[in-house]
Amino acid sequence: MIMKNKKIRKSRIALWIGLGFVAGLVISGRGDFAVLVALVFGLARFMGEWLGRTSTKPSTAPVSPSLQAHYVEAGLSDSEITLFRETMETASEQINAIEATINAVPKLKSLALQTDLLPIMHAYFKAIVQAPKRLTEAAPFIYEILPNLNHLTDRYQTITNHEVKTQETYTVLTQAETAITAQAQTINEQYQAFVADDLEDLAASVSLSQKQIQSQSHAHPVPLKETEALDHARE
C-alpha cells in the first residue's frame, strides 16, 4: 500500500458546492433548499478531502507502455499525464456508478435506452482518452455533468425505494427524469461537437477515395463481357 498525504483541494470543494446548489434547484425549485444542499455537498467534499489527506489507498495503477507512449506522443508532460489519469479515473468511477444505478432502476434504464445515455458516455470517455490534450474542451462533461448525473441518479434510486410516496414525491421524480433526459441530450451534443473534426476528416477521406476510384476507372475501362463484345461486333 502507498501512503498519500494530499492537500485539501479548495477548488473541488467549491465545485461541489456549486453542484449541490444546482441539484437542490432541480429537485425542489427553492433557493433556500438549494443553499442547504450546497452546504451539505460542500461539507461532504471537505470531509472527503480531509480524510483523504492520509490514505492507504493505492495510487493510480502504473500506466501501460502503450498508453505511456500515446500520452507522450500527444504532447503531455509527466505531471500532465498524472493529472489526466487521475481525472479520468474519477470519471470512470462516476460512469460506472451511474451505469450501476441505471441498471438497478427500471425507469432510469428505460430513459437511458431512449437517449442512448450509456453508450454515449462510454464513447465520449474513449474519445477523450484518445485526445488527452483536449481535456479542457470536455471539462463540462468531466467536472459538471458526470458528478451531477451521478448524484441525480443516486437520489432518484433512493426516493424510488421509499415505501410511501406522496404526490410531491412523484413530482420530484418527474422533475429528476426531465433533468436526466436533458443531461443525456447535452452529453450527446457535446460528444458530437468533440468528434466533429474526426467526422469531417473521414468524410474528406471518403470523398478523396471516391474521386480516385472514378479516375482509375476512366483510365482503365472495365473490359466488356464476351457476349457484350459479340453484340458490339455485330453492330
Side-chain angles (χ1 to χ4, degrees):
M1 295 293 182
I2 298 175
M3 299 293 291
K4 297 191 296 182
N5 189 6
K6 303 184 298 182
K7 294 181 179 179
I8 293 177
R9 294 167 291 188
K10 296 179 181 179
S11 60
R12 288 290 183 88
I13 297 174
L15 175 61
W16 275 63
I17 291 175
L19 291 174
F21 185 81
V22 172
L25 282 178
V26 170
I27 293 173
S28 69
R30 291 164 37 209
D32 55 344
F33 181 78
V35 171
L36 177 61
V37 175
L39 291 175
V40 172
F41 266 51
L43 179 61
R45 186 64 203 180
F46 173 79
M47 293 301 297
E49 292 283 336
W50 178 263
L51 294 174
R53 291 180 66 197
T54 302
S55 172
T56 57
K57 180 182 179 180
S59 60
T60 303
V63 62
S64 67
S66 59
L67 268 180
Q68 178 71 23
H70 169 66
Y71 294 142
V72 171
E73 184 179 355
L76 270 64
S77 65
D78 289 343
S79 60
E80 287 174 329
I81 291 174
T82 299
L83 176 61
F84 179 79
R85 296 189 67 231
E86 289 178 349
T87 300
M88 297 308 289
E89 182 180 16
T90 300
S92 177
E93 291 172 354
Q94 291 171 338
I95 290 174
N96 290 337
I98 292 167
E99 185 168 10
T101 304
I102 285 175
N103 288 330
V105 182
K107 182 60 178 180
L108 290 182
K109 192 170 185 177
S110 176
L111 284 177
L113 289 173
Q114 292 171 15
T115 58
D116 291 328
L117 175 57
L118 297 181
I120 290 174
M121 282 198 304
H122 286 288
Y124 201 175
F125 181 92
K126 291 179 181 178
I128 298 168
V129 172
Q130 290 299 315
K133 269 291 188 180
R134 299 175 61 193
L135 177 62
T136 52
E137 296 178 39
F141 171 67
I142 295 294
Y143 298 112
E144 298 175 18
I145 294 178
L146 283 180
N148 188 25
L149 192 57
N150 189 19
H151 175 73
L152 276 175
T153 52
D154 179 69
R155 293 306 303 159
Y156 188 98
Q157 182 182 33
T158 299
I159 295 174
T160 299
N161 291 334
H162 287 179
E163 292 186 7
V164 178
K165 296 181 179 67
T166 63
Q167 183 57 47
E168 183 179 3
T169 303
Y170 290 110
T171 299
V172 170
L173 289 175
T174 301
Q175 291 173 345
E177 291 165 11
T178 301
I180 292 169
T181 301
Q183 291 284 37
Q185 179 62 32
T186 300
I187 294 173
N188 189 6
E189 292 172 355
Q190 292 184 2
Y191 169 67
Q192 296 300 334
F194 192 86
V195 300
D197 289 342
D198 294 336
L199 295 177
E200 290 178 4
D201 289 343
L202 178 59
S205 297
V206 170
S207 177
L208 178 61
S209 296
Q210 290 174 339
K211 290 179 181 179
Q212 290 174 340
I213 292 172
Q214 291 174 357
S215 176
Q216 292 170 359
S217 65
H218 283 86
H220 305 285
V222 178
L224 293 173
K225 293 181 180 179
E226 183 178 0
T227 54
E228 294 174 342
L230 288 174
D231 290 339
H232 280 276
R234 288 168 183 166
E235 294 174 359

